[in-house]
Amino acid sequence: QVQLVESGGGLVQPGGSLTLSCATSGFTFVFYYMSWFRQAPGKGLEWVSTAYNDGRNTYYADSVRDRFTISRDNAKGTLYLQMNNLKSEDTAVYYCARPKSYGSEFEEVADYDYWGQGTQVTVSS
């Protein structure tokens, strides 16, 4: 039913850029805010960014603010994360997540009920 599929990860040098995509199906995309999380090697899930329903209200973790840009195409049901000036500490598996119907704490893992399979981003010289 509900499906989230991330793509766009890869290997880049420090200072490089990547754009991640999350294709969705099985629900009315515009009714939900959407978020990106990441998991670095040996660490837990970390909230990265959230875009509210129309994409005009966006929120970022301090570690990525001014480098990453979240956006969404409601007609396509697709969420994006443009990542610029990548650093080694950005190396992680990146996940797209959809919140529960009554979710409100968008930085918390427990707020979400569906997750994609993840796409790996590796930043290395």
Side-chain angles (χ1 to χ4, degrees):
Q1 190 174 28
V2 174
Q3 189 171 357
L4 311 175
V5 181
E6 301 96 332
S7 62
L11 174 64
V12 298
Q13 295 182 344
S17 299
L18 283 174
T19 299
L20 307 183
S21 298
C22 172
T24 75
S25 60
F27 67 100
T28 305
F29 184 72
V30 73
F31 288 175
Y32 295 85
Y33 61 84
M34 297 289 294
S35 294
W36 290 96
F37 288 80
R38 67 186 182 185
Q39 187 168 34
K43 297 186 177 181
L45 282 166
E46 175 190 20
W47 172 77
V48 175
S49 185
T50 296
Y52 266 68
N53 305 44
D54 64 1
R56 295 178 180 177
N57 294 321
T58 58
Y59 305 89
Y60 299 91
D62 289 344
S63 58
V64 307
R65 188 173 294 111
D66 299 325
R67 298 189 299 117
F68 291 11
T69 302
I70 190 170
S71 62
R72 56 193 289 164
D73 186 331
N74 286 337
K76 295 181 178 179
T78 302
L79 182 73
Y80 303 95
L81 185 68
Q82 181 177 299
M83 305 184 295
N84 297 324
N85 191 25
L86 284 160
K87 304 176 179 180
S88 60
E89 51 263 45
D90 296 317
T91 295
V93 177
Y94 285 72
Y95 297 92
C96 173
R98 195 208 78 172
K100 300 172 182 177
S101 296
Y102 296 98
S104 61
E105 299 178 6
F106 59 80
E107 299 180 23
E108 298 295 329
V109 170
D111 199 49
Y112 298 83
D113 60 358
Y114 288 98
W115 299 78
Q117 84 288 348
T119 185
Q120 185 161 3
V121 173
T122 302
V123 185
S124 177
S125 60

